[in-house]
Amino acid sequence: MKSKVNILLVLTLLLHWNSMFSQGCEAEEPGSSSKDSLSGPTIDIFGYLQPQYDYFFTDGDQDNTFRFKRARVGVRGEVLDDFSYYFMLETSPFIGSTGDAYLMDAFITYNADNWARISLGSFKQPFSLDVSTPCNQLKTIERSVVADQLISPQRDFGVAVFGGNKYNRLNYSVALMNGRGLGVKDDNVKKDITGRATYKIIRNLTVGASFRYGYPIPNNNEDDRTTYGAEFLLELNRFAVQGEYIYDEGAYFAGAGGGCGATPIALGKERDGAYILASYDVSEKFQPVFKYEYFDADINIKDNLGYSERMTLGFNYFVNDKVRFQVNYLANIETVVNVNNDALLTQVQVRF
């Protein structure tokens, strides 16, 4: 029997979108700003490396490999008081279809007001707490399966408006996007609309909701797709827990790929998934984490092969704010056909 915990929480507050750069993959530190005491244009070179070793517990010879999860470098800054820019390349040969370096984020932001920061270019879709969390701040090495499979493409070309900051209870974001992903020319006349809103109910508890409506199939202006998401984040001193439920229906295009380089799974007409993630800061350096998640590729078929569950157990060790070690054991659970496919992932991250 499938074990599902459908998280149904409503509303709004965008914890990871608290600066004009935060729709990129490298969010600003809380309370920071790109403004400084110098006049004129500014430029900041930044990035991070994530070399990784993966060991898979399969039948026969055990697959194992060294690779880069991500290897990113970018520049950002201001050209005028109200105009900023952000540009990032992915150079890891293990992400993308060709193995070559390619454009991840590139956008210009006009900071008209706290409630109207307007960005134009290439950036993440404003959907889901998991997707909006910067890649270098994820508490587990892998994003949730449901986010990687259903929020695809995670990056796209478009225009977005962001409102609110970390001092406001309410934050929102809404975007009009091509719907085709990076490195692909828009090939239909329809656009996708995506939005996310969060609200801090009390000091420690934030809830949120996301929505997307679009046309994912190339050269097709008829077949649409609708996606809903609900989330929460609870932070109590050293303990934190977050959860998310995502439901998706309608057309989809496997050629868009999965998020963070994941291999896309064949989907039915309706699909959903959820996760819950808990962490505890034993000290400033050591943080154990646990995540449970499920993903159902076709909720209309009982005991389908696309249904899976996963438990992730591991820890993060912070040498300082620039160097982090991650160790995760992924226990994959298939309810129809049992497959030996657990994995042990280890990663070192250095930010600069």
Side-chain angles (χ1 to χ4, degrees):
M1 179 179 294
K2 303 176 183 178
S3 60
K4 296 185 178 181
V5 179
N6 290 347
I7 306 168
L8 192 58
L9 292 167
V10 207
L11 283 169
T12 62
L13 175 69
L14 212 48
L15 292 179
H16 297 286
W17 297 69
N18 52 17
S19 74
M20 66 181 66
F21 294 131
S22 55
Q23 60 265 44
C25 206
E26 168 82 6
E28 297 282 36
E29 297 300 325
S32 69
S33 170
S34 63
K35 296 182 181 296
D36 54 31
S37 59
L38 301 177
S39 61
T42 63
I43 182 170
D44 176 30
I45 300 175
F46 68 98
Y48 56 95
L49 303 176
Q50 293 179 336
Q52 184 168 317
Y53 175 71
D54 302 339
Y55 187 92
F56 299 94
F57 298 90
T58 57
D59 293 326
D61 294 336
Q62 306 301 304
D63 292 337
N64 63 94
T65 186
F66 292 97
R67 65 189 180 100
F68 275 111
K69 178 68 172 180
R70 302 174 184 91
R72 297 180 180 175
V73 60
V75 294
R76 60 189 172 189
E78 291 185 351
V79 290
L80 291 172
D81 286 345
D82 297 326
F83 285 89
S84 64
Y85 64 91
Y86 183 107
F87 178 88
M88 174 172 276
L89 292 175
E90 172 62 79
T91 65
S92 170
F94 300 96
I95 297 182
S97 58
T98 65
D100 299 325
Y102 65 96
L103 178 71
M104 290 289 292
D105 301 310
F107 54 87
I108 296 171
T109 298
Y110 172 55
N111 191 17
D113 183 79
N114 177 54
W115 297 102
R117 299 187 304 277
I118 305 169
S119 293
L120 178 65
S122 165
F123 46 83
K124 281 185 179 181
Q125 292 198 51
F127 190 110
S128 160
L129 171 61
D130 201 19
V131 173
S132 66
T133 300
C135 306
N136 59 78
Q137 295 179 21
L138 292 170
K139 292 184 177 180
T140 56
I141 294 175
E142 298 290 343
R143 272 198 170 88
S144 64
V145 177
V146 65
D148 277 345
Q149 292 299 327
L150 299 188
I151 313 306
S152 176
Q154 288 184 356
R155 281 177 165 81
D156 204 353
F157 294 94
V159 60
V161 181
F162 307 93
N165 59 40
K166 69 190 184 79
Y167 300 108
N168 301 126
R169 286 183 177 271
L170 172 67
N171 279 229
Y172 79 89
S173 53
V174 61
L176 188 67
M177 314 193 82
N178 284 342
R180 290 290 287 114
L182 298 180
V184 181
K185 182 181 178 181
D186 193 14
D187 52 14
N188 60 35
V189 299
K190 297 293 183 68
K191 294 292 178 286
D192 290 10
I193 183 168
T194 308
R196 177 171 175 245
T198 59
Y199 188 79
K200 183 174 289 188
I201 299 178
I202 57 177
R203 184 173 62 89
N204 305 110
L205 177 62
T206 298
V207 297
S210 301
F211 171 80
R212 178 183 63 184
Y213 180 78
Y215 298 82
I217 302 179
N219 302 305
N220 184 319
N221 297 311
E222 303 298 329
D223 297 320
D224 58 5
R225 180 179 192 173
T226 305
T227 314
Y228 305 93
E231 65 187 66
F232 77 92
L233 172 63
L234 177 65
E235 297 175 298
L236 299 171
N237 297 321
R238 296 183 177 186
F239 177 74
V241 58
Q242 68 184 61
E244 201 160 359
Y245 171 76
I246 299 174
Y247 170 84
D248 184 47
E249 65 180 16
Y252 79 98
F253 177 53
C260 288
T263 301
I265 298 173
L267 303 178
K269 291 184 178 180
E270 297 178 86
R271 45 270 178 182
D272 72 352
Y275 73 88
I276 188 164
L277 168 66
S279 65
Y280 183 78
D281 296 334
V282 176
S283 66
E284 292 184 355
K285 294 184 177 295
F286 187 66
Q287 180 189 65
V289 296
F290 172 81
K291 179 167 68 174
Y292 166 79
E293 57 187 310
Y294 83 85
F295 176 68
D296 196 341
D298 190 340
I299 64 177
N300 294 312
I301 298 179
K302 183 179 180 180
D303 296 330
N304 71 84
L305 295 176
Y307 177 83
S308 64
E309 299 178 29
R310 171 184 288 175
M311 289 188 292
T312 301
L313 182 65
F315 66 87
N316 301 316
Y317 182 82
F318 302 90
V319 178
N320 55 32
D321 63 344
K322 300 296 184 183
V323 181
R324 178 186 68 183
F325 293 91
Q326 284 185 293
V327 177
N328 286 178
Y329 183 86
L330 278 58
N332 296 302
I333 306 166
E334 292 79 22
T335 58
V336 180
V337 178
N338 187 41
V339 180
N340 293 326
N341 58 356
D342 289 359
L344 178 66
L345 311 181
T346 59
Q347 183 187 102
V348 181
Q349 173 179 283
V350 172
R351 297 170 57 196
F352 57 88

